[in-house]
Amino acid sequence: MVSFWSGYALPTIIIILEVLAIIIPLLVAVAYLTYAERKVMAAMQLRQGPNIVGPFGLLQPMADGLKLLTKETIIPAGSNRALFLAAPMVTFLLSLVAWAVIPFGAGLVLSNINVGVLYLFAVSSLGVYGIIIAGWASNSKYAFLGGLRSAAQMVSYEVSIGLVIVSVLLCAGSLNLSRIVEAQHTIWFAVPLFPMFIVFFISGLAETNRAPFDLPEGESELVGGYNVEYSAMTFALFFLGEYANMILMSALTTILFLGGWLPPLGIPPLTWIPGPIWFFAKIAACLFVFIWVRATMPRYRYDQLMRLGWKIFLPFSLIWVLVTAGVLETFGWLPK
Amino acid sequence: MIVQALAFYLFSAIMVASAVMVIASRNPVHSVVFLITAFFNAAGLLLLIGAEFVAMILIIVYIGAVAVLFLFVVMMLDVDFGQLRKGASQYLPLGGAVGLVLLAELLLVLGGWVVAPSAGTLALAPTPAVEQMSNTVALGHVLYTHYFYVFQASGVVLLIAMIGAIVLTLRERQGVRRQRIEGQVSRRRDEVVAVTKVRVGEGV
């Protein structure tokens, strides 16, 4: 009985607590990301933004969440019921499981697996299913078109993301996320791999279906895209998933290019600030750029989006991988 | 240990059940979804034996790319699968024979390990212990040192297959108006804009 307690029950409880310690702050962060988005965009467009509910409108996300919770979930008569309900769950679930391998600080990670980068890549490549199944199961033209667009877009940009990750891995010499961060001790990879950093960030915008690549939901032509038929909690799950994916993409950018939890320079006043704070600050900076782009850029046309992905990013990142490998090999800088 | 065993039975039971559902379900989209479930559980089984790299690649390649395209095609096609399936039972002997041959081959390979345990030592590169290197590193060593040429050759084969598929489906269509971005960008004002003085009542 004692061995059962210390061998199985206790670790299970600890793991569940750790998972909750990640997921609950994440959901709060998602709620306040929507608030931040509205406030920042309002400031950029000389508006007030939400300012009625609570001080400075701080309770607005809670009010929105409550509204979605109390609404009625409508399932269209012609829809495929099981898949219709499964799609938002899959989207939400995938946006949460990815956080299992994210290192928040030195040794501060739920599951420090050897193939962390591949795990994240796998999870992000599964994200397309929620959307394409939602589009199909709704049994609606607009939703289906939105789903197809999104699937094509995510598959296309995944290719260039893969190549960018390869060039980072060449420099880091490991698939483990903590090791990748530690490899940036001397210099952040954003400096030597600057073009890749830009490609990764833009591909990240496309991968998360954010402006200027938010064609899957292009409301002016598709009335809202793959989630037209969704309401209440099912819609909320898509919404949460999308914003959690934004935070995840920012975290990934931070880990791969901006040195994760490391301070910009290893000198005292900067090293006094604990690692997780640096990590969150960098994520916040990336998220700000996400919002900034949305407030600034017009939406891409679909053929231009495909052209950018396949004819510009793919050859460019492929060549850059070769250049990186060649330079590392020539100068003997390949990590052991 | 008991948790691993439970996980093994869970994964394999779901995998076999969903593999049956792939061929049993009436709706082709459901079939693809069950196929994805089967792949997923296969990845779980690979994780259980410690082949983490292969498990992740299975998810990325098969679920993240191949099955997406399957789903794409199946959703777009308007095929009456009930009609297609009508005469399917006449292929049962042939399908069964193929299955039997595959089963026999599998038994031969796996049986070799049991009958002659020394067969494993014939491999070109011995498997390093898990403590010494992670299996990503081990795979890299095996592929890029001992089997380098074979590995490259299989890459070339895939490349040729890809080019072949593109060549087979490529067709020149007449009268398509394509966007030429370099032409648009290099346009100068003088070439496209002319200022004319228009007299009243005459037009251009």
Side-chain angles (χ1 to χ4, degrees):
Chain A
M1 203 57 208
V2 174
S3 72
F4 173 77
W5 171 251
S6 61
Y8 292 108
L10 193 62
T12 312
I13 292 170
I14 290 175
I15 289 173
I16 289 174
L17 287 179
E18 283 175 342
V19 168
L20 286 179
I22 293 176
I23 286 181
I24 291 171
L26 176 67
L27 292 182
V28 174
V30 166
Y32 279 91
L33 178 58
T34 64
Y35 173 79
E37 177 167 35
R38 294 170 69 176
K39 272 293 191 193
V40 169
M41 279 181 60
M44 285 176 182
Q45 297 162 350
L46 298 180
R47 294 185 284 117
Q48 285 281 319
N51 61 353
I52 302 297
V53 191
F56 307 105
L58 274 171
L59 293 178
Q60 184 71 45
M62 302 300 154
D64 288 342
L66 273 179
K67 181 196 77 178
L68 284 173
L69 265 176
T70 50
K71 278 182 140 182
E72 181 192 357
T73 304
I74 299 168
I75 298 175
S79 68
N80 191 314
R81 204 184 165 89
L83 288 181
F84 185 81
L85 290 175
M89 294 180 200
V90 167
T91 306
F92 183 61
L93 194 81
L94 286 173
S95 67
L96 294 186
V97 290
W99 287 86
V101 296
I102 300 284
F104 296 95
L108 214 59
V109 48
L110 178 63
S111 165
N112 193 15
I113 60 175
N114 280 330
V115 287
V117 175
L118 290 181
Y119 176 80
L120 282 180
F121 195 60
V123 170
S124 85
S125 70
L126 293 181
V128 65
Y129 281 111
I131 291 171
I132 194 173
I133 288 178
W136 181 80
S138 302
N139 199 9
S140 144
K141 284 190 199 76
Y142 294 120
F144 189 51
L145 282 175
L148 287 184
R149 273 188 182 186
S150 169
Q153 172 178 337
M154 290 170 94
V155 170
S156 312
Y157 278 83
E158 224 141 66
V159 184
S160 56
I161 285 191
L163 286 171
V164 172
I165 290 180
V166 168
S167 63
V168 170
L169 295 181
L170 278 172
C171 297
S174 172
L175 292 173
N176 182 309
L177 290 169
S178 300
R179 293 253 193 86
I180 290 176
V181 171
E182 278 154 18
Q184 302 178 57
H185 208 79
T186 42
I187 189 161
W188 294 358
F189 288 153
V191 178
L193 298 176
F194 186 71
M196 290 284 99
F197 174 50
I198 302 297
V199 170
F200 185 81
F201 194 81
I202 297 175
S203 304
L205 288 176
E207 184 77 13
T208 49
N209 293 327
R210 287 287 300 179
F213 306 115
D214 53 348
L215 290 135
E217 37 196 291
E219 61 282 300
S220 51
E221 32 187 331
L222 291 181
V223 269
Y226 62 89
N227 55 18
V228 204
E229 304 290 342
Y230 284 88
S231 55
M233 211 51 219
T234 49
F235 174 78
L237 286 182
F238 273 122
F239 198 75
L240 289 171
E242 191 182 323
Y243 278 78
N245 274 334
M246 259 170 81
I247 305 182
L248 179 72
M249 216 19 112
S250 305
L252 200 53
T253 313
T254 305
I255 290 169
L256 292 180
F257 289 101
L258 299 177
W261 65 81
L262 299 172
L265 295 168
I267 51 173
L270 296 177
T271 48
W272 291 341
I273 301 171
I277 304 236
W278 279 116
F279 187 63
F280 296 135
K282 288 170 187 173
I283 291 183
C286 290
L287 285 173
F288 176 77
V289 181
F290 265 76
I291 297 167
W292 186 11
V293 167
R294 180 170 171 203
T296 316
M297 299 287 188
R299 186 174 290 143
Y300 253 59
R301 216 172 61 199
Y302 198 69
D303 60 322
Q304 290 175 335
L305 170 95
M306 282 296 162
R307 179 177 176 272
L308 183 71
W310 288 107
K311 293 192 180 168
I312 299 175
F313 279 180
L314 180 61
F316 180 72
S317 46
L318 189 60
I319 289 170
W320 195 269
V321 167
L322 293 182
V323 169
T324 312
V327 168
L328 291 174
E329 176 67 31
T330 316
F331 292 98
W333 291 340
L334 271 177
K336 284 288 164 257
Chain B
M1 224 40 217
I2 191 157
V3 177
Q4 275 92 326
L6 283 177
F8 172 78
Y9 287 117
L10 181 73
F11 286 144
S12 15
I14 297 177
M15 187 175 151
V16 172
S18 48
V20 170
M21 287 307 291
V22 171
I23 46 176
S25 76
R26 286 175 184 276
N27 189 329
V29 172
H30 289 180
S31 288
V32 180
V33 173
F34 279 117
L35 182 69
I36 293 163
T37 323
F39 280 149
F40 233 119
N41 287 284
L45 289 179
L46 286 172
L47 274 183
L48 277 184
I49 57 168
E52 51 199 19
F53 184 79
V54 185
M56 291 303 153
I57 292 297
L58 181 77
I59 294 182
I60 293 172
V61 174
Y62 282 88
I63 307 180
V66 176
V68 172
L69 295 181
F70 272 7
L71 204 57
F72 226 89
V73 172
V74 168
M75 281 177 178
M76 304 284 282
L77 285 181
D78 191 23
V79 180
D80 186 1
F81 277 76
Q83 196 73 33
L84 266 183
R85 203 169 279 160
K86 246 171 200 163
S89 56
Q90 60 178 335
Y91 297 111
L92 199 62
L94 186 66
V98 171
L100 271 182
V101 169
L102 288 178
L103 182 68
E105 284 178 349
L106 203 62
L107 284 180
L108 268 181
V109 172
L110 297 182
W113 292 356
V114 181
V115 179
S118 57
T121 57
L122 291 176
L124 206 49
T127 323
V130 185
E131 301 83 44
Q132 283 169 6
M133 51 173 71
S134 75
N135 65 52
T136 314
V137 181
L139 264 177
H141 273 288
V142 171
L143 280 183
Y144 286 97
T145 46
H146 299 284
Y147 297 102
F148 182 73
Y149 293 112
V150 185
F151 185 64
Q152 294 293 321
S154 59
V156 172
V157 169
L158 285 177
L159 182 67
I160 292 170
M162 189 178 84
I163 294 172
I166 293 171
V167 169
L168 282 177
T169 52
L170 187 72
R171 57 188 169 121
E172 276 305 319
R173 276 187 299 175
Q174 298 300 319
V176 179
R177 290 161 63 87
R178 283 225 169 74
Q179 184 181 21
R180 268 184 50 240
I181 291 190
E182 64 282 1
Q184 290 177 340
V185 171
S186 61
R187 241 158 58 128
R188 288 284 157 265
R189 187 176 178 278
D190 314 339
E191 301 162 16
V192 283
V193 181
V195 182
T196 47
K197 242 195 171 77
V198 184
R199 291 238 183 96
V200 178
E202 286 183 12
V204 185

